[in-house]
Amino acid sequence: MTTEIDQYPRVIPAVDIVLMTVRDGRLKILVHRRQQDAKTFPGQLALPGGHIHAQEDADSLMAARRVLKTKVKVDPSYLEQLYTFADGARDPSGWSISIAYYALVPSALLEHMDRSVTLVDAEAIPRLAFDHNRIVDVAIERVRNKASFSSLPCYLLPEKFTLGMLQAAYEQVMNTTLNKANFRKKLEELNFVEPIEGEMQMGKQRPAQLYRVKPGRLAVFNKTI
Amino acid sequence: MTTEIDQYPRVIPAVDIVLMTVRDGRLKILVHRRQQDAKTFPGQLALPGGHIHAQEDADSLMAARRVLKTKVKVDPSYLEQLYTFADGARDPSGWSISIAYYALVPSALLEHMDRSVTLVDAEAIPRLAFDHNRIVDVAIERVRNKASFSSLPCYLLPEKFTLGMLQAAYEQVMNTTLNKANFRKKLEELNFVEPIEGEMQMGKQRPAQLYRVKPGRLAVFNKTI
DNA sequence: ATAATAGTGTCTTTTAGACACTATTCC
DNA sequence: GGAATAGTGTCTAAAAGACACTATTAT
């Protein structure tokens, strides 16, 4: 039987993920090198991504999760739809759709990465396959906008963190420097972190109080700092 | 030849559009009634939408433009991607993707609508086909967030407008009331409208100065009012 | 003691908001 | 004059930001 849908050229939808973390005090994006025998952009750097499997993926978010699990062996705590790139020019093999997601993870989760996978500095993204540079630009812009001032950057940190680490994460994501006193006053107000009784981070100098996100207060979105 | 893409069930991507306007001083959404012989949701209200035609549409934005032109006979001045709804449950005929857009138009553009097309109040959306109620909710939330304070609501007005009309448009979109003096001070600051020399809107009482958006200053996004 | 990082108190500037007022038209 | 809408000046409260300070550790 010929139905209406057979009239149109087939389009295979995919997901691509901009995975971000903070490593060495800098905001990083995860990229991987494509196989040398890939039909398109062989050997080039690209975002992790893959086709949607309709029989396997309940929705596009699940597809993104599956791709990350398979290709990067990571299950991110924060994963959100970014934008959909759909046109006839972005993929040389034809009209294509990429539902792009962005993810935030603590860098400790990325210890055992494949050799084909690397982190690149958000301020110096190399040339990527397809329209992936554009996708990364949109992702960074989105995160910058959302970060100020929500609890988003907490997803880049381990469960326990000092206020110094937290401020550094905000500064990385927002690409600015913040005043320490004002930052802490604002945190007080927003009220989504709490000190962990008696737990201190020992270091080279004065020990710092360890904090955690208050239960249920992750990803509370708010105004500017 | 069997390529990789034949392994996966076929998914037909579509676009759906949430078209908004202000009529009778209220924010409205455009919906249409589906054909009685439609395979899914016959006779029900739905958002205007349609399949992407890969050979015809350069990208998904163009697909949305084409659908609006064909089904609603409108070429909106503001049309932006909203979100992509992609899962196996939203359409009874199978796994489907809808790249949703939202559009803002002055209500004068909608004078000669089809009989199948109507405007419904944003505060009282009826039951719609598919997951279109959810799409509308997301669209209204997005516009509310973006409106305060950008020049977005200007797209709901004719080219020439009074500050009273402009304030009313903001109040509708943001679903609040605003203080007139403060509203005007803020407009001054944001600096995206200018009076049209010598043109006044005559009415029942004191005439009002007509304004227009400064060239190139449409859709400047900013803080809160 | 000094270097280094943690943590705090206070003042100033900017912005948001409330409120009261004047102005010009139609009737 | 009264009703109705247009348009403005000023004061107050809240938020953002600058800056200087104290505290506790390692060496």
Side-chain angles (χ1 to χ4, degrees), chain A residues 52-64:
Chain A
I52 288 175
H53 298 176
Q55 70 289 51
E56 190 179 341
D57 304 319
D59 55 35
S60 55
L61 178 67
M62 289 300 147

Side-chain angles (χ1 to χ4, degrees), chain A residues 25-182:
Chain A
R26 308 280 303 155
L27 185 65
K28 305 280 185 179
I29 307 290
L30 183 141
V31 297
H32 79 105
R33 196 164 290 285
R34 290 171 67 80
Q35 303 282 126
Q36 287 300 340
D37 59 357
K39 285 190 211 84
T40 49
F41 300 100
Q44 285 208 36
L45 292 174
L47 293 175
H51 293 148
I52 288 175
H53 298 176
Q55 70 289 51
E56 190 179 341
D57 304 319
D59 55 35
S60 55
L61 178 67
M62 289 300 147
R65 274 204 189 292
R66 177 181 52 74
V67 166
L68 281 179
K69 209 167 204 163
T70 313
K71 296 210 173 176
V72 192
K73 316 251 185 292
V74 165
D75 189 19
S77 38
Y78 191 86
L79 181 59
E80 191 190 337
Q81 190 179 309
L82 173 66
Y83 194 79
T84 297
F85 300 83
D87 63 60
R90 56 180 301 281
D91 184 332
S93 29
W95 221 99
S96 81
I97 294 183
S98 163
I99 307 179
Y101 282 77
Y102 68 104
L104 304 184
V105 299
S107 100
L109 274 192
L110 301 175
E111 287 306 319
H112 313 293
M113 296 190 295
D114 262 39
R115 295 190 63 259
S116 65
V117 171
T118 52
L119 294 177
V120 300
D121 202 289
E123 296 304 310
I125 308 283
R127 181 145 189 66
L128 303 177
F130 304 101
D131 55 353
H132 288 185
N133 283 94
R134 194 174 149 228
I135 299 181
V136 170
D137 290 347
V138 174
I140 291 176
E141 193 201 337
R142 174 79 61 90
V143 166
R144 298 231 148 113
N145 282 333
K146 272 211 160 183
S148 37
F149 197 83
S150 75
S151 58
L152 244 204
C154 295
Y155 288 99
L156 297 166
L157 298 177
E159 210 181 316
K160 302 174 180 184
F161 48 83
T162 67
L163 296 189
M165 292 161 70
L166 186 58
Q167 181 175 344
Y170 274 94
E171 289 178 335
Q172 274 308 304
V173 170
M174 296 165 69
N175 204 28
T176 41
T177 59
L178 298 170
N179 177 285
K180 187 168 41 155
N182 298 339

